[in-house]
Amino acid sequence: MSSVLSSGTQPVRIEQDVVLARQVVRKAAIDCGLRLIDQTKLVTAASELARNTVVYGGGGDMDWAILEDGLRKGVRLLFRDEGPGIADLKLAMTDGWTSGGGLGLGLTGAKRLVNEFELDTAPGAGTRITITRWT
Amino acid sequence: MERIPILRMGNFLLVTIQVDMHDQLALTLQDDLSERINATSARGVLLDISALDMVDSFIGRMIGTISGLSRIMDAHTVLVGMQPAVAITLVELGMNLPGVLTALDVERGMKLLRDRVASE
Ligand SMILES: Nc1ncnc2c1ncn2[C@@H]1O[C@H](COP(=O)(O)OP(=O)(O)O)[C@@H](O)[C@H]1O
Ligand SMILES: [Mg+2]
């Protein structure tokens, strides 16, 4: 069982919030003691998911937490919105697929950059994505 | 409106990105640069990203677009100073910026540009 050392919530409503979310995640990653390369991976994944929350989810929030689990520590992020949800998850999780004008690397790329990736969505029921990066 | 400054150095344009860019700012830079290349007939662009602590797919795409756009306008773009952690992350994200010239620092980037232009 992991315990929460600190936590908070960052609104992710407009484009500028994506920048704020990156900064909040960077700080949490440093406080958690993640190595520079792992900080960078987590911040980059967060940037992708925060942008999706704004662009496709119609805005939402990012919950963050620094966790302790025995000897390891980690940062867990939850991106949640009440938007349209993702109808075809398999398609959305394909490298290069976008329903908008993106590169289609946000979801798949974010998944590659973290240790844990969980996606919970349904048409009309919003989207919740949890990612975790451990030390 | 907030803008990223573009400096002219002879034949070349120098852009040093010193802020954590939101998406609109990146798009504005793209547009400003194409205008400036056109207006100054610049032969090269140095894009210094040494201050950036992350490059995601949006900024990565901006870099690729600037590079491609400058080629069409008979100029070269050299990407300068990408931090190693940023480079590794970008590849894992799935972006490898094909065709984008890179250099370790502005001085080397400048030399690369001069050599390119001289060989044409
Ligand atoms: N929060 C979300 N709400 C609804 N749809 C989403 C959300 N996040 C991602 N998607 C869908 O998944 C697709 C792939 O996302 P992504 O991999 O980030 O690529 P891109 O942002 O370039 O389109 C998006 O084009 C969109 O259709
Ligand atoms: Mg995306």
Side-chain angles (χ1 to χ4, degrees):
Chain A
M1 256 320 283
S2 52
S3 58
V4 176
L5 297 179
S6 58
S7 64
T9 296
Q10 166 67 42
V12 187
R13 309 276 149 78
I14 58 170
E15 215 179 74
Q16 275 83 353
D17 290 340
V18 177
V19 176
L20 296 180
R22 293 203 285 254
Q23 291 165 356
V24 166
V25 173
R26 175 71 67 173
K27 185 172 182 307
I30 291 171
D31 290 350
C32 168
L34 286 178
R35 297 182 306 148
L36 177 63
I37 178 72
D38 295 332
Q39 291 172 26
T40 307
K41 288 179 182 183
L42 185 67
V43 172
T44 307
S47 184
E48 295 294 343
L49 299 180
R51 180 178 297 105
N52 284 352
T53 300
V54 173
V55 174
Y56 301 113
D61 291 284
M62 175 188 79
D63 299 320
W64 61 271
I66 300 177
L67 308 175
E68 191 170 44
D69 179 22
L71 285 176
R72 63 178 188 170
K73 284 164 78 180
V75 177
R76 178 164 292 159
L77 307 172
L78 165 60
F79 295 85
R80 51 188 167 86
D81 65 64
E82 309 288 318
I86 302 173
D88 191 335
L89 201 52
K90 197 157 168 265
L91 200 56
M93 289 304 295
T94 306
D95 264 335
W97 188 82
T98 177
S99 68
L103 288 179
L105 291 175
L107 291 177
T108 48
K111 187 176 182 187
R112 282 190 288 272
L113 291 172
V114 297
N115 299 120
E116 290 165 25
F117 180 98
E118 249 173 72
L119 206 166
D120 183 13
T121 186
T127 299
R128 298 165 62 87
I129 300 179
T130 310
I131 59 175
T132 313
R133 182 90 215 180
W134 296 103
T135 49
Chain B
M1 197 172 88
E2 199 187 353
R3 283 197 135 81
I4 294 174
I6 301 171
L7 297 180
R8 187 171 178 184
M9 298 169 73
N11 272 347
F12 304 142
L13 300 175
L14 173 64
V15 182
T16 308
I17 301 173
Q18 271 158 332
V19 291
D20 195 345
M21 284 188 293
H22 57 83
D23 294 358
Q24 188 52 52
L25 192 56
L27 293 177
T28 304
L29 173 61
Q30 211 170 282
D31 294 346
D32 287 353
L33 253 178
S34 66
E35 258 171 53
R36 285 294 292 279
I37 295 172
N38 192 32
T40 62
S41 307
R43 301 302 311 281
V45 175
L46 281 164
L47 195 57
D48 182 358
I49 61 161
S50 54
L52 285 192
D53 64 13
M54 73 111 235
V55 170
D56 64 7
S57 69
F58 198 90
I59 299 172
R61 179 166 65 169
M62 177 206 77
I63 293 168
T65 303
I66 287 174
S67 166
L69 205 138
S70 64
R71 271 326 283 137
I72 290 169
M73 301 175 80
D74 199 27
H76 295 277
T77 294
V78 176
L79 186 65
V80 163
M82 189 189 289
Q83 295 173 19
V86 173
I88 292 167
T89 301
L90 201 54
V91 171
E92 213 166 305
L93 186 64
M95 296 204 72
N96 29 40
L97 300 178
V100 178
L101 297 170
T102 59
L104 282 179
D105 52 40
V106 171
E107 204 174 313
R108 278 177 244 218
M110 197 69 113
K111 183 172 183 316
L112 184 58
L113 275 184
R114 278 202 206 95
D115 293 350
R116 284 276 160 154
V117 171
S119 73
E120 282 176 354

